[in-house]
Amino acid sequence: MTPAGLALLPTPLVAAPRLAAALGTASLLVKRDDLTGFAVAGNKARQLDALLADARARGADVLVTGGTLGSNFVQAAAAGAAWAGLRCVLVLAGPPVPRSAHPNLAAALTWGAEVRFTGDPDRTAVDGAIDAVAAELAAAGARPYACPRGGASAVGATGYRTAVDELLGQLDGADPVVVVATGAGGTLAGLVAGVVATGRRLRVVGASVSRPADEVAARVLDLACQVADLRAEPRPVAQDVEVVDARGPGHGTASPEGDLAAATALRTEGLVLDPVYTAKALAALPAVAAGRPALFWHTGGLLDAVAAMLAETTRPTTAPTSRTTP
Ligand SMILES: Cc1ncc(COP(=O)(O)O)c(C=O)c1O
């Protein structure tokens, strides 16, 4: 399927020598998917590119998805739906809150999304609620396109299957250890499917920020196999999926190691990292790379990153640093 044309690709692959020295890796490349060129969508632009193309092909007129209050994906989905001329209905975990509760909610509403709350703080309840809302909309005559939290469907993950072709074209034979922040798993699943399909022995490691590593690895393998089936390519096996636990103090909560990594990236290379995805993944990179050449896949999170910086200027010193994410 041809992408909808949302993301501006290829994203740059840049050397980060000062950050490499600070982290103690032989060299460091950064794949700049914070620069995918659409709204503040970061890695989600690639997934939405595939999802919106599929939605259009199916004649959908409303995108239905969801996540937690702070989900980067839901604000990106709201922007993507607006761009594609679709209505957007978002299902968020938890009781109703005002738009000021989180910058991602404010952004989603600004992009014109309708938001419904499950009333249940358990984020897994969102999946069933997305299907229920889609069924309700269909019964009312709409043509909904439902996609799971994080855009982590087989179609969404194909956005990162094709990113492997893009990266291999830029790597020029180099063989770095790739580290990428992993939440719902669509990004890593696409990368794993791509590495297996291209036969390239590239080591890709997911830094899990929201779930235990074994749980993520199982989800990612399942999704990567679905991507392979969709494209009639070889299926990955369990050994192809590598995940480390990068949650630190917990899902959605900034960590001192992550904050240090983010400050180092900012000061050495001007890279802006968010506190709960990219910062934690970068903090995990030195142990994974163990001195070898590495590649950090920057997945964005810019809205959260800037919001965190602004919060530093406004919040009382006693305020908690906890943030919620998908
Ligand atoms: C900034 C950022 N990086 C990484 C991820 C993880 O992507 P995935 O959900 O595809 O694992 C997300 C997910 O929301 C994100 O917002």
Side-chain angles (χ1 to χ4, degrees):
M1 163 127 12
T2 314
L6 184 92
L8 295 182
L9 305 176
T11 57
L13 181 69
V14 300
R18 292 167 296 275
L19 184 54
L23 297 179
T25 57
S27 62
L28 183 66
L29 295 168
V30 181
K31 180 65 171 156
R32 297 290 307 270
D33 273 13
D34 54 324
L35 303 179
T36 46
F38 177 75
V40 274
N43 62 331
K44 299 301 176 185
R46 289 188 194 264
Q47 286 152 313
L48 282 164
D49 220 333
L51 290 163
L52 290 169
D54 193 36
R56 274 182 174 159
R58 291 170 189 275
D61 59 7
V62 50
L63 178 68
V64 186
T65 188
T68 56
L69 177 61
S71 167
N72 286 319
F73 177 69
V74 297
Q75 58 85 4
W83 173 86
L86 302 178
R87 187 179 155 199
C88 182
V89 180
L90 300 171
V91 181
L92 298 186
V97 289
R99 63 184 292 138
S100 58
H102 197 285
N104 283 337
L105 173 60
L109 290 168
T110 303
W111 270 305
E114 299 154 47
V115 174
R116 303 194 190 179
F117 293 89
T118 61
D120 182 350
D122 179 3
R123 62 189 157 146
T124 61
V126 169
D127 297 330
I130 290 171
D131 291 341
V133 169
E136 178 200 310
L137 292 168
R143 297 185 303 279
Y145 183 86
C147 76
R149 283 177 293 148
S153 68
V155 170
T158 59
Y160 270 91
R161 158 64 190 90
T162 48
V164 173
D165 299 329
E166 179 183 308
L167 176 68
L168 294 183
Q170 295 172 317
L171 271 181
D172 202 20
D175 190 21
V177 181
V178 178
V179 175
V180 64
T182 300
T187 302
L188 182 60
L191 294 178
V192 167
V195 167
V196 171
T198 54
R200 182 67 183 271
R201 290 175 61 82
L202 198 63
R203 184 174 165 219
V204 180
V205 182
S208 176
V209 298
S210 64
R211 297 171 177 84
D214 52 352
E215 190 185 319
V216 179
R219 284 170 65 101
V220 166
L221 177 60
D222 180 48
L223 204 47
C225 287
Q226 291 180 44
V227 172
D229 292 351
L230 207 58
R231 295 174 52 98
E233 292 178 338
R235 286 181 141 217
V237 295
Q239 289 73 19
D240 296 316
V241 182
E242 197 178 339
V243 180
V244 294
D245 194 330
R247 287 175 295 170
H251 170 222
T253 303
S255 69
E257 300 78 15
D259 288 352
L260 179 62
T264 307
L266 192 63
R267 287 175 198 157
T268 56
E269 307 284 352
L271 295 170
V272 178
L273 305 187
D274 76 288
V276 296
Y277 279 98
T278 49
K280 288 182 175 181
L282 186 67
L285 184 142
V288 171
R292 291 193 46 224
L295 185 153
F296 177 61
W297 205 304
H298 192 330
T299 45
L302 290 189
L303 188 61
D304 227 14
V306 172
M309 286 185 201
L310 292 177
E312 292 294 330
T313 67
T314 53
R315 77 175 169 222
T317 48
T318 51
T321 55
S322 175
R323 305 180 63 77
T324 48
T325 54

